[in-house]
Amino acid sequence: MSEIPDRNKKRMSEVPSAFFSSPAAGGIVLIIASAAAIIVANSPLREGYEVFLKYNAAGLSVEHWINDALMAVFFMMVGLEIKRELLTGQLATWGQRALPGFAALGGMAVPAAIYVWFNAGSDETLAGWAIPAATDIAFALGVLALLGSRVPASLKIFLSALAILDDMGAVAIIALFYTSNISFLMLAGAAVTVALLFIMNRAGITRLFPYLLAGGVLWFFMLQSGVHATIAGILLALFIPLRVTDPDKQSPLARLEHGINPWVTFLILPLFGFANAGVALSGMTADDLMSPVPVGVALGLFVGKQAGIFGLSLLAVSLGLAKRPEKSTWLQVYGVSVLCGIGFTMSLFIGNLAFAESPLLVDEVKVGVLAGSVLAALAGMLILRFSPSHPSR
């Protein structure tokens, strides 16, 4: 008789570990944190929420510590994924890069064009042109994970590769278009630090501590230079060694990626969602909700992403420049294209950079991102759930 309770206890203890190891877990936690932010921002706790985010600690507000410091770790993980996939993974050859490359190009250009169409009359709001150009890989892959075996593995690989290339484009946009008041002295300090990282890599140093120490110095220089501090995370990742001479040992890149992944997934991104998704809808009028910024963002994500990704994918395959993912139908490719309209993390991040001086526009961005992302998630899931499982010949 005592075995039954023991067996139940064992099953109950396995539930948390099974949840946190699920590919969908990160997206679920991020949704909960973002929903909590929206609830708090529209409750009597709103004032305390805003005071907390503006609280100054060691020269930066809590909001800036999250967006400039913790998100640098997120960008470092993005950089590690990019390097690994380009050198040894799903993007290691030109053939593997072809379809996701065309798809990523269309998935950035068309949403940006739609946003510009709606905001062409305003120089101020045009600064947000890149907001709908990004895909949230955590959310999109989480939705695919919920669909299980109904989605062929090749489509999951296609989405991962597409999102990684999309992230590369977003990082380049942040570095090139969202910088201001450049300090060339601090930029020179950053350049010297990057040179040091290069020397360490070429010298075969495999201990992580020297790289992380140099990365902290690089982050400081970037923070003071006018180039967004999170770019330091990407630059650091590029110099973390991927290959080791002993095949039985994990590479420094693999050790670092595995080490920070749980922290990014279950702490940093939920904190970012909680700090940035809170929008007080009670303070917005119908004109605000239907103004060019939220409409441009929402339609850019929901309409522009699917049109750009599916359109260029279809064109590339038709011209023989790429191949359709194995064992997939065009309807399934379309479903994944719709799913890529989940912009969330990177879209909110770019929105904060674009409209740093206008809280109202930042709130309008949040409305547009939330609306477009929810529509894309629901529509993409429904298409993939009910699409045929095998490609027609």
Side-chain angles (χ1 to χ4, degrees), residues 6 125 252:
D6 289 343
T125 61

Side-chain angles (χ1 to χ4, degrees), residues 76 79-80 82-83 201 233-241:
M76 179 171 67
L80 295 172
I82 290 171
K83 180 173 181 177
N201 179 281
I234 290 281
L235 292 174
L236 171 60
L238 298 180
F239 295 100
I240 303 295

Side-chain angles (χ1 to χ4, degrees), residues 111-132:
I114 288 176
Y115 180 91
V116 169
W117 174 271
F118 280 95
N119 290 270
S122 169
D123 291 339
E124 182 186 19
T125 61
L126 269 178
W129 63 271
I131 295 168

